[in-house]
Amino acid sequence: QLQLQESGPGLVKPSETLSLTCAVSGASISRSGYYWGWIRQPPGKGLEWIGNIYYSGSTNYNPSLKSRVTISVDRSKNQFSLKVNSVTAADTAMYHCARRANYGSGDYFDYWGQGTLVTVSS
Amino acid sequence: DIQLTQSPSFLSASVGDRVTITCRASQGISTYLAWYQQKPGKAPKFLIYTASTLQSGVPSRFSGSGSGTEFTLTISSLQPEDFASYYCQQVNSYPLTFGGGTKVDIK
Protein backbone atom coordinates (compact mmCIF):
# COMPACT_ATOMS: atom_id res chain seq x y z
CA GLN A 1 0.00 0.00 0.00
CA LEU A 2 1.44 3.33 -1.06
CA GLN A 3 1.95 5.82 1.74
CA LEU A 4 3.23 9.38 1.72
CA GLN A 5 4.37 11.25 4.82
CA GLU A 6 5.27 14.92 4.98
CA SER A 7 7.84 16.29 7.41
CA GLY A 8 9.46 19.61 8.14
CA PRO A 9 9.40 22.62 10.46
CA GLY A 10 5.97 23.74 11.59
CA LEU A 11 7.07 27.34 12.07
CA VAL A 12 9.01 29.48 9.60
CA LYS A 13 9.94 33.14 9.95
CA PRO A 14 8.89 35.68 7.32
CA SER A 15 11.38 36.09 4.46
CA GLU A 16 12.97 32.70 5.21
CA THR A 17 12.72 29.44 3.25
CA LEU A 18 10.07 26.80 3.88
CA SER A 19 11.47 23.29 3.38
CA LEU A 20 9.38 20.13 3.45
CA THR A 21 10.06 16.50 2.59
CA CYS A 22 7.65 13.78 1.50
CA ALA A 23 8.77 10.24 2.26
CA VAL A 24 7.24 7.63 -0.05
CA SER A 25 6.79 4.01 1.03
CA GLY A 26 5.22 1.10 -0.81
CA ALA A 27 6.44 2.16 -4.26
CA SER A 28 9.55 3.46 -5.96
CA ILE A 29 9.55 7.17 -6.67
CA SER A 30 11.58 6.35 -9.80
CA ARG A 31 8.91 4.14 -11.33
CA SER A 32 8.00 5.43 -14.76
CA GLY A 33 4.79 7.29 -15.45
CA TYR A 34 4.15 8.98 -12.11
CA TYR A 35 4.20 12.57 -10.97
CA TRP A 36 4.88 13.61 -7.37
CA GLY A 37 3.25 16.82 -6.30
CA TRP A 38 2.56 19.36 -3.60
CA ILE A 39 -0.80 20.94 -2.81
CA ARG A 40 -1.50 23.41 -0.03
CA GLN A 41 -4.58 24.56 1.85
CA PRO A 42 -4.65 27.77 3.92
CA PRO A 43 -6.67 27.42 7.14
CA GLY A 44 -10.38 27.35 6.34
CA LYS A 45 -9.80 27.75 2.60
CA GLY A 46 -9.60 25.65 -0.54
CA LEU A 47 -6.88 23.65 -2.25
CA GLU A 48 -4.06 25.18 -4.30
CA TRP A 49 -1.75 23.17 -6.54
CA ILE A 50 1.89 24.18 -5.99
CA GLY A 51 3.69 22.01 -8.49
CA ASN A 52 4.84 18.52 -9.38
CA ILE A 53 7.88 16.61 -10.56
CA TYR A 54 7.72 13.80 -13.09
CA TYR A 55 9.61 10.54 -12.54
CA SER A 56 12.08 11.74 -15.17
CA GLY A 57 12.83 14.87 -13.13
CA SER A 58 10.93 17.44 -15.17
CA THR A 59 8.93 19.94 -13.16
CA ASN A 60 5.82 22.08 -13.48
CA TYR A 61 4.97 24.89 -11.09
CA ASN A 62 2.01 27.13 -10.42
CA PRO A 63 2.87 30.50 -11.99
CA SER A 64 1.52 32.22 -8.88
CA LEU A 65 4.43 30.71 -6.94
CA LYS A 66 6.89 29.73 -9.67
CA SER A 67 9.65 32.20 -8.90
CA ARG A 68 9.80 31.04 -5.27
CA VAL A 69 9.28 27.28 -5.55
CA THR A 70 11.60 24.33 -6.16
CA ILE A 71 10.59 20.66 -6.14
CA SER A 72 13.31 18.03 -6.21
CA VAL A 73 13.70 14.28 -5.83
CA ASP A 74 16.12 12.22 -3.73
CA ARG A 75 15.96 8.78 -5.32
CA SER A 76 18.37 7.24 -2.82
CA LYS A 77 15.94 8.03 -0.01
CA ASN A 78 12.74 7.51 -2.06
CA GLN A 79 11.51 10.99 -1.19
CA PHE A 80 10.83 14.34 -2.77
CA SER A 81 11.05 17.85 -1.39
CA LEU A 82 9.53 21.30 -1.59
CA LYS A 83 11.25 24.61 -1.01
CA VAL A 84 9.43 27.93 -0.97
CA ASN A 85 11.62 30.95 -0.43
CA SER A 86 10.84 34.44 0.80
CA VAL A 87 7.75 33.27 2.67
CA THR A 88 5.09 35.58 4.07
CA ALA A 89 2.03 35.01 6.24
CA ALA A 90 0.13 34.17 3.05
CA ASP A 91 2.16 30.95 2.82
CA THR A 92 0.68 29.69 6.10
CA ALA A 93 -1.16 26.50 5.15
CA MET A 94 -1.50 22.76 5.45
CA TYR A 95 0.92 21.31 2.90
CA HIS A 96 0.07 17.94 1.33
CA CYS A 97 2.23 15.78 -0.88
CA ALA A 98 0.53 13.47 -3.36
CA ARG A 99 1.11 11.04 -6.19
CA ARG A 100 -0.36 11.82 -9.59
CA ALA A 101 -1.07 8.79 -11.76
CA ASN A 102 -2.50 8.21 -15.23
CA TYR A 103 -6.06 6.92 -15.36
CA GLY A 104 -6.40 6.55 -19.10
CA SER A 105 -7.58 10.07 -19.73
CA GLY A 106 -5.67 12.41 -17.50
CA ASP A 107 -3.34 12.21 -14.52
CA TYR A 108 -4.96 12.51 -11.12
CA PHE A 109 -3.84 12.80 -7.49
CA ASP A 110 -4.79 9.37 -6.18
CA TYR A 111 -2.68 9.02 -3.02
CA TRP A 112 -2.18 11.87 -0.56
CA GLY A 113 -0.18 12.43 2.58
CA GLN A 114 -1.99 13.55 5.73
CA GLY A 115 -0.43 16.97 5.47
CA THR A 116 1.77 19.13 7.65
CA LEU A 117 0.81 22.55 8.95
CA VAL A 118 3.31 25.30 8.31
CA THR A 119 2.85 28.66 10.02
CA VAL A 120 4.80 31.71 8.90
CA SER A 121 5.30 34.01 11.85
CA SER A 122 8.09 35.84 13.61
CA ASP B 1 -5.61 29.73 -16.07
CA ILE B 2 -8.79 27.65 -16.01
CA GLN B 3 -11.11 28.78 -13.22
CA LEU B 4 -13.44 26.24 -11.62
CA THR B 5 -16.55 27.61 -9.93
CA GLN B 6 -18.40 25.28 -7.58
CA SER B 7 -21.95 25.79 -6.40
CA PRO B 8 -23.28 25.88 -3.87
CA SER B 9 -20.45 26.73 -1.48
CA PHE B 10 -22.45 25.34 1.40
CA LEU B 11 -25.24 22.80 1.44
CA SER B 12 -27.34 21.65 4.36
CA ALA B 13 -28.98 18.24 3.88
CA SER B 14 -30.42 15.26 5.73
CA VAL B 15 -29.49 11.59 5.68
CA GLY B 16 -31.18 9.99 2.68
CA ASP B 17 -31.33 13.20 0.63
CA ARG B 18 -30.18 13.37 -2.98
CA VAL B 19 -27.42 15.96 -3.28
CA THR B 20 -26.02 17.58 -6.40
CA ILE B 21 -22.93 19.79 -6.61
CA THR B 22 -22.02 21.71 -9.74
CA CYS B 23 -18.57 22.62 -11.06
CA ARG B 24 -18.26 25.05 -13.97
CA ALA B 25 -15.02 25.56 -15.88
CA SER B 26 -14.07 28.90 -17.43
CA GLN B 27 -13.16 27.08 -20.63
CA GLY B 28 -13.69 23.62 -22.07
CA ILE B 29 -11.78 20.83 -20.37
CA SER B 30 -13.35 17.82 -22.10
CA THR B 31 -13.69 15.28 -19.26
CA TYR B 32 -10.37 16.00 -17.55
CA LEU B 33 -12.02 16.48 -14.19
CA ALA B 34 -11.78 14.81 -10.78
CA TRP B 35 -13.80 15.03 -7.59
CA TYR B 36 -12.35 14.74 -4.08
CA GLN B 37 -13.93 14.39 -0.66
CA GLN B 38 -12.25 15.95 2.36
CA LYS B 39 -13.13 15.56 6.02
CA PRO B 40 -11.80 17.96 8.67
CA GLY B 41 -8.14 17.42 9.43
CA LYS B 42 -7.80 14.72 6.77
CA ALA B 43 -6.26 14.48 3.33
CA PRO B 44 -8.56 14.69 0.32
CA LYS B 45 -9.91 11.35 -0.89
CA PHE B 46 -9.95 10.64 -4.63
CA LEU B 47 -13.56 9.85 -5.61
CA ILE B 48 -14.09 10.27 -9.34
CA TYR B 49 -11.88 10.76 -12.41
CA THR B 50 -12.50 11.60 -16.08
CA ALA B 51 -15.66 13.31 -14.83
CA SER B 52 -17.69 10.16 -14.32
CA THR B 53 -15.56 7.12 -13.42
CA LEU B 54 -15.67 6.01 -9.79
CA GLN B 55 -12.34 5.26 -8.17
CA SER B 56 -12.09 1.71 -6.85
CA GLY B 57 -13.85 1.30 -3.51
CA VAL B 58 -16.04 4.40 -3.80
CA PRO B 59 -19.71 3.62 -3.04
CA SER B 60 -22.07 3.54 -6.01
CA ARG B 61 -24.28 6.24 -4.46
CA PHE B 62 -21.67 8.68 -5.80
CA SER B 63 -21.82 9.58 -9.48
CA GLY B 64 -20.32 12.20 -11.72
CA SER B 65 -21.34 13.57 -15.07
CA GLY B 66 -20.57 16.31 -17.55
CA SER B 67 -18.08 17.38 -20.15
CA GLY B 68 -16.76 20.61 -21.58
CA THR B 69 -17.54 23.30 -19.03
CA GLU B 70 -20.27 21.91 -16.78
CA PHE B 71 -19.95 19.01 -14.39
CA THR B 72 -21.96 17.57 -11.53
CA LEU B 73 -21.30 15.33 -8.56
CA THR B 74 -24.40 13.57 -7.24
CA ILE B 75 -24.85 11.60 -4.04
CA SER B 76 -28.03 9.61 -4.53
CA SER B 77 -28.79 8.97 -0.85
CA LEU B 78 -26.67 10.92 1.61
CA GLN B 79 -25.13 8.82 4.37
CA PRO B 80 -23.72 10.04 7.70
CA GLU B 81 -20.15 9.45 6.51
CA ASP B 82 -20.72 11.70 3.47
CA PHE B 83 -20.86 14.92 5.46
CA ALA B 84 -17.66 16.55 4.27
CA SER B 85 -16.30 19.08 1.81
CA TYR B 86 -16.09 18.26 -1.89
CA TYR B 87 -13.70 19.72 -4.46
CA CYS B 88 -13.49 19.44 -8.23
CA GLN B 89 -10.13 19.66 -9.99
CA GLN B 90 -9.17 20.01 -13.64
CA VAL B 91 -6.14 18.29 -15.16
CA ASN B 92 -6.71 19.51 -18.71
CA SER B 93 -3.90 22.04 -18.58
CA TYR B 94 -1.36 23.69 -16.32
CA PRO B 95 -1.70 25.24 -13.86
CA LEU B 96 -3.85 22.53 -12.32
CA THR B 97 -6.74 24.17 -10.50
CA PHE B 98 -9.35 23.25 -7.92
CA GLY B 99 -12.83 24.54 -7.36
CA GLY B 100 -13.50 26.54 -4.23
CA GLY B 101 -15.20 23.61 -2.51
CA THR B 102 -18.68 22.68 -1.30
CA LYS B 103 -19.27 21.91 2.35
CA VAL B 104 -22.09 19.42 2.94
CA ASP B 105 -23.44 19.80 6.45
CA ILE B 106 -26.15 18.11 8.48
CA LYS B 107 -29.55 19.81 8.42
Side-chain angles (χ1 to χ4, degrees):
Chain A
Q1 174 76 352
L2 180 66
Q3 292 186 318
L4 298 93
Q5 180 65 58
E6 305 88 348
S7 62
L11 181 64
V12 181
K13 289 182 169 55
S15 80
E16 295 190 345
T17 296
L18 178 162
S19 296
L20 297 175
T21 295
C22 181
V24 177
S25 59
S28 170
I29 202 167
S30 298
R31 184 174 174 181
S32 65
Y34 295 112
Y35 298 84
W36 304 92
W38 290 94
I39 301 98
R40 71 180 184 180
Q41 186 170 30
K45 296 189 177 181
L47 299 163
E48 179 183 33
W49 173 74
I50 299 170
N52 48 231
I53 187 164
Y54 198 39
Y55 79 102
S56 61
S58 64
T59 53
N60 296 93
Y61 299 125
N62 193 322
S64 68
L65 294 159
K66 185 174 182 178
S67 62
R68 300 194 293 128
V69 170
T70 303
I71 297 175
S72 60
V73 166
D74 185 336
R75 301 184 194 282
S76 67
K77 294 182 179 179
N78 211 42
Q79 64 186 32
F80 61 106
S81 299
L82 170 71
K83 292 188 187 297
V84 182
N85 57 39
S86 304
V87 297
T88 68
D91 294 308
T92 293
M94 182 72 78
Y95 285 76
H96 295 278
C97 60
R99 184 187 80 167
R100 193 169 159 222
N102 187 268
Y103 279 75
S105 184
D107 299 275
Y108 300 92
F109 290 112
D110 58 354
Y111 285 90
W112 295 63
Q114 285 298 303
T116 187
L117 180 63
V118 178
T119 301
V120 178
S121 175
S122 55
Chain B
D1 297 6
I2 296 173
Q3 311 300 323
L4 296 179
T5 303
Q6 280 184 241
S7 60
S9 300
F10 182 84
L11 188 160
S12 186
S14 301
V15 172
D17 284 353
R18 181 182 182 88
V19 165
T20 299
I21 299 167
T22 298
C23 176
R24 288 189 174 87
S26 59
Q27 61 191 79
I29 59 171
S30 184
T31 57
Y32 290 97
L33 187 104
W35 288 97
Y36 298 89
Q37 175 194 67
Q38 187 179 34
K39 297 182 179 179
K42 300 293 187 182
K45 176 185 176 182
F46 182 43
L47 293 180
I48 288 173
Y49 59 95
T50 58
S52 61
T53 305
L54 259 60
Q55 170 65 331
S56 175
V58 174
S60 59
R61 62 181 180 273
F62 289 91
S63 64
S65 65
S67 67
T69 61
E70 186 146 341
F71 303 86
T72 59
L73 171 69
T74 299
I75 309 171
S76 60
S77 177
L78 201 63
Q79 297 302 300
E81 59 269 30
D82 301 336
F83 291 97
S85 293
Y86 294 84
Y87 294 90
C88 57
Q89 184 214 5
Q90 66 84 19
V91 298
N92 179 77
S93 61
Y94 287 118
L96 307 182
T97 49
F98 291 87
T102 297
K103 184 176 181 180
V104 179
D105 210 346
I106 302 172
K107 184 183 285 185

